[in-house]
Amino acid sequence: MDDSTPLPRASYPRIARLYRFQWEAAQNAYVLLFPEGMVQLNAAAGEILRRCDGKQSADAIIADLRAAFQSDAIDADVEAFLRSATNDGWVEWRETVTP
Amino acid sequence: MARDGDAVSALPAATGLPQAVGVPMWMVAELTYRCPLHCAFCSNPVDFAKVQSELSTEEWFRVLAEARALGAVQLGLTGGEPLSRPDLEQIVAEAHRLGFYTNLITSGVGLNETRMRALKDAGLDHVQLSFQDSTRELNDFLSSTRTFDLKRRVATLIKAHGFPMVMNCVIHRLNIDHVGRIIDLALEIGAEYLELANTQFYGWADLNRAQLLPTREQLQRSEAVVADYRQRIGNRLRILHVISDLYETRPKRCMNGWGTTFMVIAPDGLVMPCHAARMLPGIHLPSVRDASLAQIWLDSPAFNRFRGDAWMPEPCRSCPEKAKDLGGCRCQAFLLTGDVGATDPVCDKSPLHSRVLDIVNGPRLPQPPVERPLVFRTPENSERLLAELAEP
């Protein structure tokens, strides 16, 4: 997914099968866990990935983040992050809600 | 030869806690030294046969809870062969309940449908399966077992249960020329990751170093093969290629830094900063049977011994790169210089770097086929080595 590919905003992003996403109190951060590895997420990445549960479309997630952070200027940042998270294999997309 | 190191060793240990003691995010649980394989490159201590009293299920539960409270999140379940413990499923279930990401590191021997299902139900996250080679002949020779076909079947079982799978292959002189075929095998069995782990020379591997160390030419050829595959297969399989640092001119950090990230718990409850620390002289390893993990991590002399840089001898002490490699590997320093506090001689600034050159230049000479037989990791050989060590 490169910069010119439009993000499928009506689709439902979720954490990819290979990864587990959880809050780690000792690190005061959300982390992504995978076979013998870990990524410590910064606050913004954690807030975005927290919402990637397969039940909300990218549109809904962005609307939710706008409300939570009282800002209308976050679309580009969120899209860029979701794009790179998809390229890293952290996030996968479904056309329908994950039950 | 070890004067620099001795002078530093004689200084009083750092007083109080180092400025920043990290979180032990990674815990390796060596559940048992029992193993159906007898690999000649095993990193277990050669005197493993003397370890008799394994931690009980309840003791492991306590250790897991204490580690989790300290912030440990990655749990490697290994050994020996962890499936040799009939309570493995219980230990996985408890670790999962506590919030660990659980990695089973196995030879595959003993992993049948019943246990695979039970491990899935217990919440196991991932399975790392070892192969010794891409061919049945060499796989079975190196492990001194007939296990190649079994491992193929286990790989199918792992994928059928939907686990992410890492294939691990320890690389050395006898199989390094098969690296391409080993990558093909990983692709064929559907592994998500392949760990090509060049032998690190501790334990049994150190005993067999003369037969196992690849030549520089072999290493360069294998690097070219890996680079070529990476280009062709992209993200389908992620290849982790860990080179033996004997061919480097700067050392690697020891386990991301001694006492910064890793805790390894031996089958009898000794807590080690790295897998091989058991052989280091003058380091009293604490046991979970005598103290809590928090006390061990924060206060034990063993974990504080090489934290920070106050312990460093020259040339490390005044080196601009000391924060990068933290003086390198303590076990390698001990094995090659006799001094656990010496600069890792892999570094070409070390006054003893010539010892590494002597080793790596050795295999380049025209050599007859290996005359000395490999010493396989068996309880009998361990007993024999123990007896030899005990002789005056």
Side-chain angles (χ1 to χ4, degrees), chain B residues 104-153:
Chain B
L104 175 63
I105 298 159
T106 179
S107 68
V109 179
L111 198 48
N112 55 24
E113 169 67 31
T114 311
R115 292 200 82 178
M116 189 87 273
R117 163 69 51 199
L119 286 164
K120 185 82 186 174
D121 292 345
L124 182 67
D125 288 293
H126 143 242
V127 184
Q128 184 197 105
L129 178 64
S130 69
F131 280 80
Q132 281 66 48
D133 189 45
S134 54
T135 68
R136 179 184 297 108
E137 291 68 29
L138 196 52
N139 180 86
D140 291 1
F141 169 70
L142 289 166
S143 61
S144 196
T145 57
R146 298 175 69 174
T147 49
F148 184 73
D149 296 330
L150 175 148
K151 285 169 181 287
R152 296 289 306 254
R153 289 196 297 276

Short mmCIF file of all heavy atoms in Angstrom, two decimals, chain B residues 104-153:
data_model
loop_
_atom_site.label_atom_id
_atom_site.label_comp_id
_atom_site.label_asym_id
_atom_site.label_seq_id
_atom_site.Cartn_x
_atom_site.Cartn_y
_atom_site.Cartn_z
N LEU B 104 6.63 -21.51 22.44
CA LEU B 104 7.13 -22.86 22.69
C LEU B 104 8.29 -23.13 21.74
O LEU B 104 8.12 -23.07 20.52
CB LEU B 104 6.02 -23.90 22.48
CG LEU B 104 6.46 -25.36 22.60
CD1 LEU B 104 6.97 -25.67 24.00
CD2 LEU B 104 5.32 -26.31 22.23
N ILE B 105 9.45 -23.43 22.31
CA ILE B 105 10.65 -23.64 21.51
C ILE B 105 10.99 -25.12 21.60
O ILE B 105 11.43 -25.61 22.64
CB ILE B 105 11.79 -22.74 22.04
CG1 ILE B 105 11.34 -21.28 21.88
CG2 ILE B 105 13.09 -22.99 21.30
CD1 ILE B 105 12.06 -20.31 22.77
N THR B 106 10.75 -25.84 20.50
CA THR B 106 10.71 -27.30 20.60
C THR B 106 11.40 -27.99 19.43
O THR B 106 11.52 -27.43 18.34
CB THR B 106 9.24 -27.77 20.69
OG1 THR B 106 9.20 -29.20 20.77
CG2 THR B 106 8.44 -27.34 19.46
N SER B 107 11.82 -29.22 19.69
CA SER B 107 12.33 -30.10 18.63
C SER B 107 11.17 -30.78 17.91
O SER B 107 11.36 -31.39 16.87
CB SER B 107 13.22 -31.18 19.25
OG SER B 107 12.42 -32.07 20.03
N GLY B 108 9.98 -30.69 18.49
CA GLY B 108 8.80 -31.34 17.92
C GLY B 108 8.59 -32.76 18.43
O GLY B 108 7.51 -33.32 18.25
N VAL B 109 9.61 -33.32 19.07
CA VAL B 109 9.47 -34.70 19.53
C VAL B 109 8.49 -34.73 20.71
O VAL B 109 8.69 -34.05 21.71
CB VAL B 109 10.83 -35.29 19.95
CG1 VAL B 109 10.65 -36.72 20.45
CG2 VAL B 109 11.81 -35.24 18.79
N GLY B 110 7.42 -35.49 20.55
CA GLY B 110 6.40 -35.58 21.59
C GLY B 110 5.19 -34.70 21.31
O GLY B 110 4.23 -34.67 22.07
N LEU B 111 5.23 -33.96 20.19
CA LEU B 111 4.11 -33.05 19.88
C LEU B 111 3.10 -33.77 18.98
O LEU B 111 3.18 -33.72 17.77
CB LEU B 111 4.64 -31.78 19.20
CG LEU B 111 3.72 -30.57 19.20
CD1 LEU B 111 3.13 -30.31 20.57
CD2 LEU B 111 4.47 -29.34 18.74
N ASN B 112 2.15 -34.45 19.60
CA ASN B 112 1.12 -35.14 18.83
C ASN B 112 -0.17 -34.31 18.83
O ASN B 112 -0.24 -33.23 19.41
CB ASN B 112 0.87 -36.54 19.42
CG ASN B 112 0.53 -36.45 20.91
OD1 ASN B 112 0.04 -35.41 21.39
ND2 ASN B 112 0.79 -37.51 21.65
N GLU B 113 -1.19 -34.81 18.16
CA GLU B 113 -2.45 -34.08 18.02
C GLU B 113 -3.06 -33.72 19.38
O GLU B 113 -3.53 -32.60 19.60
CB GLU B 113 -3.43 -34.92 17.18
CG GLU B 113 -4.87 -34.44 17.15
CD GLU B 113 -5.03 -33.09 16.44
OE1 GLU B 113 -4.26 -32.80 15.50
OE2 GLU B 113 -5.94 -32.33 16.85
N THR B 114 -3.01 -34.67 20.32
CA THR B 114 -3.61 -34.44 21.64
C THR B 114 -2.93 -33.29 22.37
O THR B 114 -3.59 -32.37 22.88
CB THR B 114 -3.48 -35.71 22.51
OG1 THR B 114 -3.92 -36.82 21.74
CG2 THR B 114 -4.28 -35.59 23.79
N ARG B 115 -1.60 -33.30 22.38
CA ARG B 115 -0.89 -32.24 23.10
C ARG B 115 -0.99 -30.90 22.36
O ARG B 115 -1.09 -29.85 22.99
CB ARG B 115 0.58 -32.63 23.32
CG ARG B 115 0.73 -33.81 24.29
CD ARG B 115 2.11 -33.89 24.89
NE ARG B 115 2.29 -32.99 26.02
CZ ARG B 115 3.41 -32.91 26.73
NH1 ARG B 115 4.46 -33.65 26.40
NH2 ARG B 115 3.50 -32.08 27.75
N MET B 116 -0.98 -30.97 21.03
CA MET B 116 -1.12 -29.73 20.25
C MET B 116 -2.45 -29.04 20.57
O MET B 116 -2.51 -27.83 20.80
CB MET B 116 -1.03 -30.08 18.76
CG MET B 116 -0.95 -28.91 17.83
SD MET B 116 0.75 -28.31 17.55
CE MET B 116 0.93 -27.17 18.89
N ARG B 117 -3.53 -29.85 20.58
CA ARG B 117 -4.87 -29.33 20.90
C ARG B 117 -4.89 -28.75 22.32
O ARG B 117 -5.41 -27.65 22.56
CB ARG B 117 -5.89 -30.47 20.74
CG ARG B 117 -7.24 -30.28 21.39
CD ARG B 117 -8.08 -29.21 20.75
NE ARG B 117 -8.19 -29.38 19.30
CZ ARG B 117 -8.55 -28.41 18.45
NH1 ARG B 117 -8.82 -27.20 18.91
NH2 ARG B 117 -8.63 -28.64 17.15
N ALA B 118 -4.28 -29.48 23.26
CA ALA B 118 -4.27 -29.02 24.66
C ALA B 118 -3.49 -27.71 24.79
O ALA B 118 -3.87 -26.82 25.56
CB ALA B 118 -3.67 -30.10 25.56
N LEU B 119 -2.40 -27.59 24.05
CA LEU B 119 -1.60 -26.36 24.11
C LEU B 119 -2.37 -25.19 23.50
O LEU B 119 -2.30 -24.07 23.98
CB LEU B 119 -0.26 -26.57 23.39
CG LEU B 119 0.74 -27.44 24.17
CD1 LEU B 119 1.87 -27.92 23.26
CD2 LEU B 119 1.31 -26.67 25.36
N LYS B 120 -3.10 -25.46 22.42
CA LYS B 120 -3.93 -24.42 21.81
C LYS B 120 -4.98 -23.95 22.82
O LYS B 120 -5.16 -22.74 23.02
CB LYS B 120 -4.61 -24.99 20.56
CG LYS B 120 -5.40 -23.97 19.76
CD LYS B 120 -4.49 -23.17 18.86
CE LYS B 120 -5.22 -22.04 18.16
NZ LYS B 120 -4.31 -21.19 17.40
N ASP B 121 -5.65 -24.91 23.45
CA ASP B 121 -6.68 -24.57 24.44
C ASP B 121 -6.08 -23.81 25.62
O ASP B 121 -6.75 -22.99 26.24
CB ASP B 121 -7.38 -25.85 24.94
CG ASP B 121 -8.22 -26.50 23.84
OD1 ASP B 121 -8.48 -25.82 22.82
OD2 ASP B 121 -8.60 -27.68 23.99
N ALA B 122 -4.83 -24.11 25.94
CA ALA B 122 -4.18 -23.44 27.09
C ALA B 122 -3.79 -22.00 26.75
O ALA B 122 -3.45 -21.23 27.64
CB ALA B 122 -2.94 -24.23 27.52
N GLY B 123 -3.84 -21.64 25.45
CA GLY B 123 -3.55 -20.26 25.07
C GLY B 123 -2.16 -20.04 24.50
O GLY B 123 -1.70 -18.90 24.42
N LEU B 124 -1.50 -21.12 24.10
CA LEU B 124 -0.17 -20.96 23.50
C LEU B 124 -0.25 -20.03 22.28
O LEU B 124 -1.17 -20.13 21.48
CB LEU B 124 0.38 -22.33 23.08
CG LEU B 124 1.80 -22.33 22.49
CD1 LEU B 124 2.82 -21.95 23.56
CD2 LEU B 124 2.15 -23.69 21.89
N ASP B 125 0.74 -19.11 22.17
CA ASP B 125 0.70 -18.13 21.09
C ASP B 125 1.49 -18.54 19.86
O ASP B 125 1.12 -18.19 18.74
CB ASP B 125 1.26 -16.78 21.59
CG ASP B 125 0.29 -16.11 22.53
OD1 ASP B 125 -0.78 -15.70 22.06
OD2 ASP B 125 0.59 -16.00 23.73
N HIS B 126 2.60 -19.24 20.04
CA HIS B 126 3.49 -19.46 18.89
C HIS B 126 4.38 -20.67 19.13
O HIS B 126 4.73 -20.97 20.26
CB HIS B 126 4.31 -18.18 18.65
CG HIS B 126 5.72 -18.41 18.21
ND1 HIS B 126 6.80 -18.01 18.95
CD2 HIS B 126 6.23 -19.03 17.12
CE1 HIS B 126 7.91 -18.34 18.32
NE2 HIS B 126 7.61 -18.97 17.22
N VAL B 127 4.74 -21.34 18.03
CA VAL B 127 5.63 -22.49 18.14
C VAL B 127 6.87 -22.26 17.27
O VAL B 127 6.77 -21.91 16.09
CB VAL B 127 4.94 -23.80 17.66
CG1 VAL B 127 5.88 -24.99 17.87
CG2 VAL B 127 3.63 -24.01 18.41
N GLN B 128 8.02 -22.43 17.90
CA GLN B 128 9.28 -22.42 17.15
C GLN B 128 9.77 -23.86 17.05
O GLN B 128 10.01 -24.52 18.06
CB GLN B 128 10.35 -21.58 17.85
CG GLN B 128 11.62 -21.50 17.03
CD GLN B 128 12.85 -21.05 17.81
OE1 GLN B 128 13.73 -21.84 18.13
NE2 GLN B 128 12.91 -19.76 18.11
N LEU B 129 9.88 -24.33 15.81
CA LEU B 129 10.26 -25.72 15.57
C LEU B 129 11.67 -25.77 15.01
O LEU B 129 12.00 -25.06 14.06
CB LEU B 129 9.27 -26.34 14.57
CG LEU B 129 9.51 -27.78 14.13
CD1 LEU B 129 9.36 -28.74 15.31
CD2 LEU B 129 8.54 -28.17 13.02
N SER B 130 12.50 -26.63 15.60
CA SER B 130 13.88 -26.73 15.12
C SER B 130 14.02 -27.81 14.08
O SER B 130 13.38 -28.87 14.15
CB SER B 130 14.82 -27.04 16.29
OG SER B 130 14.61 -28.36 16.76
N PHE B 131 14.83 -27.54 13.08
CA PHE B 131 15.37 -28.56 12.18
C PHE B 131 16.89 -28.46 12.30
O PHE B 131 17.41 -27.39 12.58
CB PHE B 131 14.95 -28.31 10.73
CG PHE B 131 13.55 -28.77 10.40
CD1 PHE B 131 12.45 -28.01 10.73
CD2 PHE B 131 13.34 -29.99 9.76
CE1 PHE B 131 11.16 -28.43 10.43
CE2 PHE B 131 12.06 -30.42 9.44
CZ PHE B 131 10.96 -29.65 9.79
N GLN B 132 17.56 -29.55 12.06
CA GLN B 132 19.02 -29.50 12.10
C GLN B 132 19.60 -29.35 10.69
O GLN B 132 20.74 -28.98 10.52
CB GLN B 132 19.58 -30.75 12.79
CG GLN B 132 19.50 -30.69 14.31
CD GLN B 132 18.07 -30.69 14.81
OE1 GLN B 132 17.25 -31.50 14.39
NE2 GLN B 132 17.76 -29.78 15.72
N ASP B 133 18.77 -29.65 9.68
CA ASP B 133 19.22 -29.51 8.30
C ASP B 133 18.01 -29.70 7.38
O ASP B 133 16.92 -30.09 7.82
CB ASP B 133 20.30 -30.55 7.96
CG ASP B 133 20.95 -30.30 6.60
OD1 ASP B 133 21.28 -29.13 6.32
OD2 ASP B 133 21.11 -31.25 5.82
N SER B 134 18.23 -29.45 6.07
CA SER B 134 17.17 -29.66 5.09
C SER B 134 17.14 -31.11 4.60
O SER B 134 16.23 -31.50 3.88
CB SER B 134 17.40 -28.74 3.89
OG SER B 134 18.71 -28.94 3.38
N THR B 135 18.15 -31.89 4.97
CA THR B 135 18.16 -33.29 4.53
C THR B 135 17.95 -34.21 5.72
O THR B 135 18.36 -33.91 6.83
CB THR B 135 19.51 -33.68 3.88
OG1 THR B 135 20.54 -33.67 4.88
CG2 THR B 135 19.88 -32.72 2.76
N ARG B 136 17.29 -35.34 5.44
CA ARG B 136 17.05 -36.32 6.48
C ARG B 136 18.38 -36.83 7.05
O ARG B 136 18.55 -36.93 8.25
CB ARG B 136 16.25 -37.49 5.93
CG ARG B 136 15.97 -38.59 6.95
CD ARG B 136 15.25 -39.78 6.36
NE ARG B 136 13.93 -39.40 5.86
CZ ARG B 136 13.60 -39.31 4.57
NH1 ARG B 136 14.49 -39.60 3.65
NH2 ARG B 136 12.39 -38.94 4.21
N GLU B 137 19.35 -37.08 6.16
CA GLU B 137 20.61 -37.69 6.57
C GLU B 137 21.32 -36.82 7.62
O GLU B 137 21.68 -37.28 8.69
CB GLU B 137 21.53 -37.89 5.36
CG GLU B 137 21.05 -38.94 4.38
CD GLU B 137 19.78 -38.53 3.64
OE1 GLU B 137 19.56 -37.31 3.43
OE2 GLU B 137 18.98 -39.42 3.28
N LEU B 138 21.51 -35.53 7.27
CA LEU B 138 22.28 -34.67 8.17
C LEU B 138 21.46 -34.29 9.41
O LEU B 138 21.99 -34.20 10.51
CB LEU B 138 22.76 -33.43 7.41
CG LEU B 138 23.87 -32.62 8.07
CD1 LEU B 138 25.04 -33.51 8.46
CD2 LEU B 138 24.35 -31.51 7.14
N ASN B 139 20.16 -34.05 9.22
CA ASN B 139 19.30 -33.75 10.38
C ASN B 139 19.43 -34.87 11.42
O ASN B 139 19.61 -34.63 12.61
CB ASN B 139 17.85 -33.64 9.94
CG ASN B 139 16.90 -33.34 11.10
OD1 ASN B 139 16.70 -32.19 11.46
ND2 ASN B 139 16.34 -34.38 11.72
N ASP B 140 19.34 -36.08 10.94
CA ASP B 140 19.33 -37.21 11.86
C ASP B 140 20.72 -37.49 12.43
O ASP B 140 20.86 -37.86 13.60
CB ASP B 140 18.76 -38.46 11.15
CG ASP B 140 17.26 -38.31 10.86
OD1 ASP B 140 16.70 -37.24 11.20
OD2 ASP B 140 16.66 -39.25 10.31
N PHE B 141 21.76 -37.23 11.62
CA PHE B 141 23.12 -37.42 12.13
C PHE B 141 23.42 -36.40 13.23
O PHE B 141 23.89 -36.74 14.32
CB PHE B 141 24.15 -37.29 11.00
CG PHE B 141 25.56 -37.20 11.49
CD1 PHE B 141 26.19 -38.32 12.05
CD2 PHE B 141 26.27 -36.00 11.43
CE1 PHE B 141 27.49 -38.24 12.53
CE2 PHE B 141 27.57 -35.92 11.91
CZ PHE B 141 28.18 -37.03 12.47
N LEU B 142 23.10 -35.11 12.97
CA LEU B 142 23.49 -34.05 13.91
C LEU B 142 22.76 -34.16 15.24
O LEU B 142 23.28 -33.78 16.28
CB LEU B 142 23.22 -32.67 13.29
CG LEU B 142 24.16 -32.28 12.15
CD1 LEU B 142 23.59 -31.09 11.39
CD2 LEU B 142 25.55 -31.95 12.69
N SER B 143 21.52 -34.66 15.18
CA SER B 143 20.75 -34.76 16.42
C SER B 143 20.89 -36.15 17.03
O SER B 143 20.39 -36.40 18.12
CB SER B 143 19.27 -34.48 16.13
OG SER B 143 18.77 -35.44 15.21
N SER B 144 21.59 -37.02 16.30
CA SER B 144 21.79 -38.40 16.75
C SER B 144 20.44 -39.08 17.03
O SER B 144 20.29 -39.79 18.01
CB SER B 144 22.71 -38.43 17.98
OG SER B 144 23.22 -39.71 18.20
N THR B 145 19.47 -38.80 16.16
CA THR B 145 18.13 -39.40 16.29
C THR B 145 17.57 -39.57 14.88
O THR B 145 18.11 -39.02 13.92
CB THR B 145 17.15 -38.46 17.02
OG1 THR B 145 17.11 -37.21 16.32
CG2 THR B 145 17.51 -38.25 18.46
N ARG B 146 16.46 -40.28 14.75
CA ARG B 146 15.77 -40.32 13.46
C ARG B 146 14.50 -39.49 13.61
O ARG B 146 13.45 -40.00 13.98
CB ARG B 146 15.45 -41.77 13.09
CG ARG B 146 16.74 -42.57 12.93
CD ARG B 146 16.47 -44.02 12.68
NE ARG B 146 15.87 -44.22 11.36
CZ ARG B 146 15.64 -45.43 10.87
NH1 ARG B 146 15.92 -46.52 11.57
NH2 ARG B 146 15.11 -45.55 9.67
N THR B 147 14.62 -38.20 13.35
CA THR B 147 13.51 -37.29 13.67
C THR B 147 13.08 -36.42 12.50
O THR B 147 12.14 -35.64 12.63
CB THR B 147 13.90 -36.35 14.84
OG1 THR B 147 15.18 -35.78 14.56
CG2 THR B 147 13.96 -37.09 16.15
N PHE B 148 13.76 -36.51 11.35
CA PHE B 148 13.46 -35.58 10.26
C PHE B 148 12.00 -35.69 9.80
O PHE B 148 11.28 -34.70 9.69
CB PHE B 148 14.41 -35.81 9.09
CG PHE B 148 14.22 -34.81 7.97
CD1 PHE B 148 14.65 -33.49 8.12
CD2 PHE B 148 13.60 -35.17 6.78
CE1 PHE B 148 14.47 -32.56 7.10
CE2 PHE B 148 13.42 -34.24 5.76
CZ PHE B 148 13.86 -32.94 5.92
N ASP B 149 11.55 -36.92 9.54
CA ASP B 149 10.18 -37.10 9.03
C ASP B 149 9.16 -36.67 10.07
O ASP B 149 8.12 -36.08 9.75
CB ASP B 149 9.96 -38.56 8.62
CG ASP B 149 10.87 -38.93 7.45
OD1 ASP B 149 11.19 -38.03 6.65
OD2 ASP B 149 11.27 -40.10 7.35
N LEU B 150 9.47 -36.98 11.34
CA LEU B 150 8.58 -36.56 12.43
C LEU B 150 8.43 -35.04 12.45
O LEU B 150 7.32 -34.51 12.60
CB LEU B 150 9.18 -37.06 13.75
CG LEU B 150 8.52 -36.66 15.05
CD1 LEU B 150 8.69 -37.78 16.07
CD2 LEU B 150 9.09 -35.38 15.65
N LYS B 151 9.54 -34.32 12.27
CA LYS B 151 9.49 -32.85 12.29
C LYS B 151 8.62 -32.32 11.16
O LYS B 151 7.88 -31.35 11.35
CB LYS B 151 10.91 -32.28 12.19
CG LYS B 151 11.72 -32.40 13.48
CD LYS B 151 13.19 -32.07 13.21
CE LYS B 151 14.04 -32.20 14.46
NZ LYS B 151 13.81 -31.12 15.43
N ARG B 152 8.71 -32.96 9.99
CA ARG B 152 7.85 -32.54 8.88
C ARG B 152 6.37 -32.69 9.25
O ARG B 152 5.55 -31.82 8.97
CB ARG B 152 8.15 -33.38 7.62
CG ARG B 152 9.54 -33.22 7.04
CD ARG B 152 9.70 -31.87 6.39
NE ARG B 152 8.66 -31.62 5.42
CZ ARG B 152 8.82 -31.66 4.10
NH1 ARG B 152 10.01 -31.91 3.60
NH2 ARG B 152 7.83 -31.40 3.29
N ARG B 153 6.05 -33.82 9.90
CA ARG B 153 4.65 -34.04 10.30
C ARG B 153 4.21 -33.02 11.35
O ARG B 153 3.09 -32.50 11.32
CB ARG B 153 4.47 -35.47 10.83
CG ARG B 153 4.57 -36.55 9.76
CD ARG B 153 4.01 -37.87 10.26
NE ARG B 153 4.75 -38.42 11.40
CZ ARG B 153 5.88 -39.15 11.28
NH1 ARG B 153 6.37 -39.43 10.09
NH2 ARG B 153 6.47 -39.61 12.35
#
